[in-house]
């Protein structure tokens, strides 16, 4: 649990205060220092336009991590609402929602996101919509499964007989039980959102230049991959490290919740 809190703190610091520690403006062009190796002046070197890579990485955290957080929260809210609607509704509503969910799950997330982003056009808003539209299904299945297990509990039946509206039942009886499971799912989807943002950025469908998103940095550096591979290594390491840290934190959180349930 401590690792999850520490990770959340580090991500928040990078998103909020990362640009403060950047030594240069991320879009400042200096052709005289293009493709410079790491030095005391440019700790991680410069790219093909002479822009400081460290500054672009720190500013890029706000795009890559911040957008991933937003997309995963949107998916959490939408998926939970759809899953609870299926659980609280009748058999017809449950069948319709689950068949729709299964249809979305039949397509790989990234492929579907590329298609949606391609139809909408490159840009930040199309990126957010594409990844949000393909990232709610797992939340819906978890919410629906837990909701169905709670539907026959005595306190839920008593609330229905007392005339408590469905939204109040969901708020006070369903959501507290859903929170641990959804939190574990959310950590995994947060990591997937980072990969999705970077992949779409590398394909040219994400955040557009000169904004220093990590996937866009990989796209810009691909031409010089053989001559100056560090240009691709640094943003690649940023993506890999972030995803690995979030997945490890999710595993730690799952183990902590499992031990807590076993003790109870």
């Amino acid at each position: 649990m401590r690792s999850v809190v520490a990770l959340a703190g580090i991500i928040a610091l990078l998103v909020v205060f990362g640009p403060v520690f950047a030594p240069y403006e991320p879009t400042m062009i200096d052709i005289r220092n293009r493709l410079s190796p790491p030095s005391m002046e440019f700790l991680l070197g410069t790219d093909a336009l002479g822009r400081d890579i460290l500054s672009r990485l720190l500013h890029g955290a706000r795009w890559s991590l911040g957008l991933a957080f937003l997309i995963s929260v949107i998916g959490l809210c939408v998926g939970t609402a759809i899953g609870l609607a299926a659980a609280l509704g009748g058999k017809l509503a449950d069948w319709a929602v689950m068949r729709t969910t299964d249809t979305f799950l039949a397509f790989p997330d990234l492929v579907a996101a590329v298609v949606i982003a391609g139809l909408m056009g490159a840009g930040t808003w199309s990126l957010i919509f594409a990844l949000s539209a393909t990232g709610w299904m797992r939340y819906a299945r978890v919410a629906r499964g837990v909701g169905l297990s709670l539907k026959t509990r005595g306190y839920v039946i008593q609330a229905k007989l007392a005339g408590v509206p469905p939204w109040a039942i969901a708020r006070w009886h369903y959501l507290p039980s859903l929170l641990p499971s959804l939190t574990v799912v959310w950590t995994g989807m947060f990591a997937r959102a980072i990969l999705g943002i970077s992949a779409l950025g590398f394909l040219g469908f994400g955040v557009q230049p000169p904004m220093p998103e990590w996937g866009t940095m990989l796209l810009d550096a691909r031409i010089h991959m053989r001559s100056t591979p560090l240009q691709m290594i640094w943003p690649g390491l940023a993506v890999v490290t972030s995803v690995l840290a979030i997945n490890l934190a999710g595993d730690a959180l799952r183990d902590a919740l499992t031990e807590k349930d076993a003790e109870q």
Side-chain angles (χ1 to χ4, degrees), residues 124-164:
T124 304
W125 290 111
S126 62
L127 166 72
I128 294 173
F129 180 82
L131 292 178
S132 299
T134 57
W136 58 269
M137 296 83 70
R138 290 171 178 81
Y139 300 108
R141 294 187 70 87
V142 171
R144 182 245 186 189
V146 176
L148 289 178
S149 68
L150 296 175
K151 200 173 183 178
T152 56
R153 299 288 177 89
Y155 55 86
V156 175
I157 295 176
Q158 290 178 2
K160 290 181 179 178
L161 293 176
V164 179

Side-chain angles (χ1 to χ4, degrees), residues 17-42:
F17 298 108
V20 176
F21 299 103
Y24 302 97
E25 287 294 325
T27 58
M28 185 179 68
I29 297 175
D30 185 3
I31 299 299
R32 294 173 301 176
N33 291 309
R34 66 186 303 270
L35 301 178
S36 296
S39 62
M40 292 301 296
E41 184 179 4
F42 305 106

Side-chain angles (χ1 to χ4, degrees), residues 129-210:
F129 180 82
L131 292 178
S132 299
T134 57
W136 58 269
M137 296 83 70
R138 290 171 178 81
Y139 300 108
R141 294 187 70 87
V142 171
R144 182 245 186 189
V146 176
L148 289 178
S149 68
L150 296 175
K151 200 173 183 178
T152 56
R153 299 288 177 89
Y155 55 86
V156 175
I157 295 176
Q158 290 178 2
K160 290 181 179 178
L161 293 176
V164 179
W167 66 264
I169 295 176
R171 166 67 179 82
W172 297 108
H173 297 300
Y174 283 70
L175 287 180
S177 300
L178 276 171
L179 187 60
S181 299
L182 289 178
T183 303
V184 175
V185 176
W186 179 80
T187 57
M189 296 306 295
F190 187 15
R192 292 173 70 93
I194 296 174
L195 287 175
I197 291 170
S198 301
L200 289 180
F202 182 74
L203 294 174
F205 294 113
V207 179
Q208 296 301 294

Side-chain angles (χ1 to χ4, degrees), residues 1-18:
M1 188 66 70
R2 292 179 179 176
S3 62
V4 177
V5 175
L7 174 64
I10 292 173
I11 290 175
L13 287 174
L14 282 175
V15 172
V16 177
F17 298 108

